[in-house]
Amino acid sequence: MRKQWFKQVMSRQGSSGLTLVEVLVVLSISALLVTAATAVINRTFSLSPKTDARLLALRQVQNAGNSISRDLAMAQNVIFDDPGTGEEELITLSWTGWPVKVDPEQASSDSRTLQHRVAYYLTDDNELRRTHTITTTIADAYGIEQSASESTTETMIAQHIISSDDPNEPGTKFTDCYRDESEEIIVFKVKAEVRGESASRVYRARPRSAS
C-alpha cells in the first residue's frame, strides 16, 4: 500500500509537483528511516568493543588450556607449587625422553638423553608464563655419564589471567591446578578478563604417570 502511494506521488511529481502536505509526509518518513538506520549503526559499533574483548579473553583461555594440556600428556611427574624453586608456581611437569644414539651407525656410540622440566606460573601483570628447562645428558655405551648441559627458555602463554579466589569453589582460585583423586586426572581451571568481559574454561587431562 505504501509503495503504491509513493509511486503515485512520484508520478505526480513529474507533472504537477508535490503538495506541501506530501512533502512533509515524505520528509517525516525519511527522517524516521534515517533515525532507525542510525540507531542500528550505533548499536553495532557499541557492541563491537564488547565482542572484541570477549573474543580476546576467550583466546587467552584457550592458549593457556591448550599449552598445559599438551605438556600434561607428556608428563611423568606432576608437582603443584614446587617448593624447590622458591616461586609460587601453578604446576610443574617433568619427563625424560628415550636415549638416542649420537651416531646411529656405530653400535658403541654415545647416547643422548633429554630431561624436560616445564613450569607454569602467574605474574603480577596477570600473565601466565611457561619456563622449559632441557637437560641434555651424554653417556657412553656402558651408560656412564660423560657430560651434561642445560638450557632454559621462557614464554608468555596468555595475558589478562584472573588469579583471585573463586567463591564458587572454596579453597581454589579462578585460575588453578589440582589433582582429582577420584578420577586420577589433573584439573586446570583458567579465567581471563578483558575490559569487563570474561571467559573461563575447565580442562582435564591425564598425565602418563602422576606422582
Side-chain angles (χ1 to χ4, degrees):
M1 187 68 179
R2 184 178 299 174
K3 292 182 179 180
Q4 294 177 353
W5 181 83
F6 270 111
K7 289 180 179 179
Q8 293 175 359
V9 171
M10 297 307 295
S11 63
R12 292 177 54 188
Q13 183 181 6
S15 57
S16 60
L18 296 174
T19 66
L20 179 59
V21 175
E22 289 172 338
V23 171
L24 293 175
V25 171
V26 171
L27 291 176
S28 299
I29 295 175
S30 300
L32 290 175
L33 293 176
V34 171
T35 301
T38 303
V40 172
I41 294 174
N42 290 337
R43 179 173 176 80
T44 300
F45 280 100
S46 64
L47 290 178
S48 181
K50 290 186 178 181
T51 302
D52 290 343
R54 190 178 301 113
L55 290 176
L56 179 57
L58 178 59
R59 191 178 304 119
Q60 303 309 308
V61 167
Q62 292 173 336
N63 289 345
N66 292 338
S67 182
I68 289 186
S69 296
R70 284 194 301 268
D71 288 332
L72 276 170
M74 297 294 298
Q76 295 171 314
N77 296 284
V78 180
I79 301 175
F80 303 99
D81 189 14
D82 187 356
T85 63
E87 299 178 354
E88 186 176 353
E89 295 173 344
L90 193 63
I91 189 171
T92 303
L93 313 170
S94 61
W95 64 91
T96 302
W98 292 100
V100 178
K101 289 185 177 296
V102 176
D103 187 353
E105 297 181 358
Q106 295 185 8
S108 59
S109 171
D110 293 346
S111 61
R112 178 189 297 110
T113 302
L114 301 182
Q115 295 176 315
H116 300 263
R117 179 186 179 278
V118 174
Y120 288 88
Y121 67 94
L122 295 169
T123 69
D124 294 335
D125 296 328
N126 297 326
E127 291 182 347
L128 176 65
R129 304 191 72 87
R130 174 185 185 266
T131 60
H132 185 188
T133 300
I134 301 177
T135 302
T136 303
T137 303
I138 303 297
D140 61 18
Y142 301 99
I144 300 176
E145 182 177 323
Q146 301 296 310
S147 64
S149 60
E150 186 177 281
S151 63
T152 301
T153 58
E154 183 172 344
T155 309
M156 192 273 291
I157 301 299
Q159 297 175 299
H160 309 289
I161 301 300
I162 303 300
S163 60
S164 56
D165 294 336
D166 186 354
N168 298 321
E169 293 188 37
T172 68
K173 298 182 178 182
F174 282 116
T175 299
D176 207 350
C177 277
Y178 57 89
R179 180 180 289 112
D180 186 335
E181 300 291 353
S182 62
E183 299 183 18
E184 297 183 353
I185 61 174
I186 304 301
V187 179
F188 172 53
K189 297 168 46 182
V190 58
K191 181 178 181 179
E193 183 174 326
V194 179
R195 297 190 297 273
E197 299 296 323
S198 63
S200 60
R201 291 289 186 276
V202 177
Y203 295 87
R204 293 176 172 82
R206 190 185 306 276
R208 286 192 290 173
S209 175
S211 63

